Amino acid sequence: MAALSGGGAPWRRGWLPALQLVRRGSKAVTRHWKAMHFQRQKLMAVTEYVAPRPAIPPCCLPPKKETPEEVNFDNGYVRLLRRQVEEVFRDNRMIAVCHYNAMPDEDMVLMRYYLRKHNIAVKFVLNEIARPVLSQSKYKNLLPLFVARNILLVSPELKAKEMLRVLKGVPQVSLLGACIDNTILSRQGVENFAKLPSLEASQGQTVGALALLPSQTSSLLQRGSAHLLALLDQHIHRLRAGESGSPTEPTPAQDVGAH
């Protein structure tokens, strides 16, 4: 008993049984993917959330001002594009801004062909590239036209009439305005400009109008002297008739002598 009740008894020292790991048998996976029921699919489609449309379309909102973070994206390629826009506005006398809608490639090629026959080129310019250039130039009044997707029709000559004739058959391209000889015109202004006669005809009309007034003035100045010359010729004729002794009316000289 003493031996059993000694101080070294394990149950007095808080002995615990050894832990044993028991490995249970693994079960097979019995849950597989199953297609959703047709009725539930319809219910999920009907109850799907649809975001409301904005009251004002994004294209109609005023352009967002550039922030300093957006200005920092400038790189060499952007500077090259801006330099090309500056050259377009510097080297051409007619720059027309048009709104461009999607159209087949064949129609675009045909339109460019007919415009090229009149020495008119088509330029695709991004608004992000054109707006900074125009805001620092004398063409800044054209900025309201660069809102949506636009194209430029440029020419070193004044070909407004030919341009309108080609655009009449292309409804996908609408003329918004133009800058002709450093003068900004609206669509109606471009149409009125196209109705004007050619430069040679205008110069001929101007020369004719300027030559008409001097000719009328010269005829008025010569009318008095011509009338006086006719009266003197008639007086000399009467004097000669009186010297010949023919019984004619008394001449003005005889009347003066009688008095």
Side-chain angles (χ1 to χ4, degrees):
M1 294 294 292
L4 294 175
S5 61
W11 55 81
R12 291 185 179 183
R13 294 196 303 268
W15 175 84
L16 295 175
L19 298 178
Q20 294 182 2
L21 299 177
V22 179
R23 184 176 182 182
R24 301 179 182 275
S26 60
K27 294 183 178 181
V29 178
T30 58
R31 301 183 63 180
H32 297 281
W33 179 85
K34 186 178 180 181
M36 189 182 300
H37 195 269
F38 182 68
Q39 295 292 338
R40 187 175 181 183
Q41 291 181 12
K42 293 197 295 183
L43 179 61
M44 296 293 292
V46 171
T47 58
E48 185 180 0
Y49 174 75
V50 178
R53 293 184 179 180
I56 302 176
C59 60
C60 298
L61 294 175
K64 185 179 65 173
K65 295 183 179 179
E66 292 182 350
T67 59
E69 293 78 17
E70 294 176 352
V71 177
N72 293 334
F73 81 97
D74 192 3
N75 51 32
Y77 181 64
V78 174
R79 290 195 297 269
L80 175 62
L81 295 178
R82 291 179 179 177
R83 192 179 305 116
Q84 291 177 356
V85 173
E86 293 176 358
E87 293 176 357
V88 167
F89 279 85
R90 184 179 62 248
D91 300 338
N92 295 280
R93 299 175 61 188
M94 186 186 74
I95 302 107
V97 184
C98 302
H99 177 70
Y100 173 73
N101 293 318
M103 58 187 303
D105 296 340
E106 296 80 5
D107 296 344
M108 172 57 68
V109 172
L110 195 61
M111 184 190 73
R112 300 183 76 165
Y113 168 73
Y114 285 120
L115 290 174
R116 176 58 63 181
K117 290 177 63 177
H118 302 291
N119 198 17
I120 302 175
V122 180
K123 301 291 184 180
F124 289 87
V125 181
L126 296 176
N127 295 339
E128 294 78 5
I129 302 299
R131 292 184 66 87
V133 176
L134 297 179
S135 61
Q136 300 176 1
S137 66
K138 59 183 178 181
Y139 304 103
K140 55 181 156 185
N141 290 333
L142 289 173
L143 285 176
L145 302 180
F146 289 85
V147 177
R149 190 179 183 185
N150 300 324
I151 60 174
L152 299 180
L153 305 182
V154 299
S155 174
E157 304 175 5
L158 303 181
K159 299 287 188 178
K161 185 183 299 184
E162 293 79 0
M163 179 186 66
L164 292 176
R165 189 183 302 117
V166 175
L167 293 181
K168 189 176 181 180
V170 186
Q172 293 87 353
V173 179
S174 302
L175 178 64
L176 301 178
C179 181
I180 300 177
D181 274 346
N182 297 327
T183 302
I184 297 177
L185 301 175
S186 62
R187 177 184 178 90
Q188 186 63 37
V190 176
E191 293 177 355
N192 295 336
F193 178 82
K195 296 177 183 178
L196 295 177
S198 61
L199 181 61
E200 293 76 9
S202 300
Q203 291 176 349
Q205 294 176 0
T206 304
V207 171
L210 294 176
L212 179 62
L213 295 178
S215 63
Q216 292 179 350
T217 304
S218 176
S219 62
L220 289 175
L221 294 176
Q222 294 177 1
R223 184 178 299 175
S225 59
H227 184 61
L228 178 61
L229 183 61
L231 293 177
L232 291 176
D233 289 341
Q234 187 177 4
H235 181 64
I236 293 173
H237 180 70
R238 290 182 178 179
L239 290 178
R240 290 177 179 175
E243 291 176 359
S244 62
S246 58
T248 58
E249 296 179 355
T251 60
Q254 292 176 355
D255 295 339
V256 172
H259 290 292

